[in-house]
Amino acid sequence: MQRKRSMPKMFWEMVKSVFFAAIICSIILFSLSFLLDKSWGKVIIQILNMLVSGGILYSTMWYYGDREKNFVQFGRMEEDLNWGTKVGLVGMLFPMATGILLILGKVLAMPDLVIFYKLMNPQINMLINLFIPLVDTDSFGVVQIILVFLLYLYVPLFTTLGYRLGYARISISEKLVYRKKDGEEKEAAPKEKKSFLKKLMYKDDPEEK
């Protein structure tokens, strides 16, 4: 009997991942708020938040990609390399739904809703400010709202990457860790001592120079 993928289940997984990422990113945002008056500080905060939120989405889908590879190999599931993208596109609807606050803030001329919207999206807060730097509802229009909504494409970007690499059994973290360990082992390894006879035989060996 073949296993079937469940989009409702994966949507719920995305909701949990995005919500958890929002909490962590909020902590980062408020902890480093003293950097907000500097342009480079805003860049640092945005990079940290994107790494955190993207990393959570990536690791979630990596797990599913790795697990489903086994199911496909044993004939219990059909291969679908685009599953990560599909999950991401559906999953981005959850954070995108907060955009209703931005739309209402514009239509009803309520700046407080714009502020609340930005606070609910700490993952991309700095990027939102590129298009809507002020909470004045007259300072942005339909074009800016559309551009802000496009920012949520970060969700399918990381879910696609995570699922594909998980399915291929490629772990970025393991590669970084083992590369570092291998480098340390090579540096720590003592240089082989050659006998007097070997030195005479291989005196032109470039390693000896």
Side-chain angles (χ1 to χ4, degrees):
M1 181 178 178
Q2 284 199 335
R3 296 176 63 96
K4 293 184 178 180
R5 297 178 176 88
S6 172
M7 183 57 77
K9 177 183 177 181
M10 293 309 303
F11 175 74
W12 175 239
E13 291 293 329
M14 289 295 100
V15 169
K16 291 190 294 183
S17 297
V18 171
F19 184 71
F20 180 63
I23 294 176
I24 301 300
C25 290
S26 293
I27 295 174
I28 294 175
L29 181 61
F30 286 106
S31 298
L32 301 179
S33 59
F34 61 92
L35 296 177
L36 292 176
D37 60 339
K38 301 177 178 62
S39 297
W40 58 267
K42 294 178 181 178
V43 172
I44 290 176
I45 292 174
Q46 182 56 68
I47 291 175
L48 285 175
N49 282 348
M50 188 54 67
L51 288 175
V52 168
S53 56
I56 292 174
L57 293 169
Y58 168 88
S59 59
T60 298
M61 290 308 299
W62 195 98
Y63 164 77
Y64 279 97
D66 177 59
R67 190 180 69 163
E68 291 182 5
K69 176 69 172 182
N70 289 328
F71 295 150
V72 172
Q73 286 179 333
F74 290 101
R76 299 180 59 190
M77 181 178 286
E78 293 183 1
E79 184 180 69
D80 185 359
L81 295 178
N82 296 318
W83 181 242
T85 305
K86 295 174 183 177
V87 171
L89 289 173
V90 174
M92 69 183 282
L93 297 178
F94 171 65
M96 187 182 288
T98 61
I100 189 66
L101 295 174
L102 185 62
I103 296 174
L104 289 176
K106 173 65 177 178
V107 174
L108 302 178
M110 297 178 63
D112 289 345
L113 291 179
V114 179
I115 296 175
F116 193 46
Y117 166 74
K118 290 184 177 183
L119 291 176
M120 291 185 67
N121 290 272
Q123 306 97 313
I124 54 174
N125 186 280
M126 301 298 122
L127 296 177
I128 292 174
N129 287 332
L130 291 177
F131 305 111
I132 306 177
L134 305 174
V135 296
D136 181 8
T137 55
D138 293 329
S139 64
F140 64 93
V142 176
V143 174
Q144 286 80 5
I145 292 176
I146 293 174
L147 291 174
V148 167
F149 273 41
L150 291 176
L151 294 175
Y152 294 103
L153 288 172
Y154 82 90
V155 177
L157 174 64
F158 283 104
T159 57
T160 299
L161 183 63
Y163 185 83
R164 286 293 187 101
L165 292 184
Y167 193 85
R169 306 280 170 77
I170 298 175
S171 174
I172 296 177
S173 59
E174 286 186 4
K175 284 185 176 295
L176 292 175
V177 170
Y178 285 115
R179 180 179 296 178
K180 183 178 180 181
K181 285 186 177 180
D182 290 342
E184 291 175 351
E185 289 175 358
K186 288 180 181 179
E187 291 178 1
K191 194 172 182 179
E192 181 185 357
K193 294 183 178 180
K194 292 183 179 180
S195 65
F196 178 75
L197 181 59
K198 284 186 176 181
K199 287 182 179 181
L200 289 177
M201 293 176 64
Y202 302 105
K203 61 181 180 179
D204 293 327
D205 190 338
E207 292 185 1
E208 291 294 320
K209 294 183 179 180

